[in-house]
Amino acid sequence: MVRRGGCICVVFLLVIGCCLACIPAYAEGNDLPVTFALRICKVDDGTGLPVGGAEFRLSREDGAYLTEDRQWSKNETEAMTLVTDDTGIFTVETLTPGVYALTETKAPKGYELLAEPVRIEVVPEYARI
């Protein structure tokens, strides 16, 4: 029996200056670079249990792919493979605001690929401090 692709949960964490321990706010006029961590969790539609071993690629709106060295390349063969662990999770850090597409490239045994890429838009909302 082949199961449908499952669900994808998307969680964003605000990161200021590439330090996860920093205060999750941005003072207007502050020149620290603001980036976000993207946490993806794949779960089974029916059971809600995590699905490990799913493989994905992340691309930007301009068609560039995230590479192993955390750069962006228009060459698809250089794209990093993001794999969910046993808890169904992987994390990508240092994303800047923008539009991204998460494409499942390999489904675990017994599952189908997600039919469409998942569109992810990183839009910061800043807190005044």
Side-chain angles (χ1 to χ4, degrees):
M1 178 173 96
V2 176
R3 297 182 180 200
R4 294 280 173 198
C7 300
I8 297 291
C9 303
V10 179
V11 177
F12 292 105
L13 303 170
L14 174 64
V15 182
I16 299 177
C18 301
C19 173
L20 290 174
C22 292
I23 299 169
Y26 183 81
E28 205 170 293
N30 191 337
D31 59 359
L32 289 174
V34 176
T35 60
F36 298 83
L38 171 67
R39 183 176 183 192
I40 299 296
C41 178
K42 182 166 175 122
V43 295
D44 184 285
D45 272 339
T47 66
L49 294 173
V51 177
E55 297 182 8
F56 297 87
R57 286 190 181 145
L58 185 67
S59 59
R60 293 189 310 205
E61 192 172 35
D62 67 359
Y65 295 90
L66 182 65
T67 64
E68 290 290 335
D69 61 356
R70 303 294 197 256
Q71 300 298 312
W72 295 92
S73 171
K74 298 249 178 156
N75 184 347
E76 187 174 358
T77 62
E78 294 179 10
M80 175 196 295
T81 300
L82 304 162
V83 183
T84 57
D85 63 16
D86 291 341
T87 64
I89 295 173
F90 69 80
T91 303
V92 178
E93 297 178 1
T94 67
L95 290 180
T96 57
V99 177
Y100 299 89
L102 183 67
T103 305
E104 188 172 21
T105 58
K106 183 178 177 188
K109 185 176 180 179
Y111 288 88
E112 295 177 350
L113 288 174
L114 293 175
E116 298 289 325
V118 176
R119 183 180 185 273
I120 300 167
E121 186 171 3
V122 178
V123 180
E125 293 184 14
Y126 302 110
R128 289 185 178 261
I129 55 174

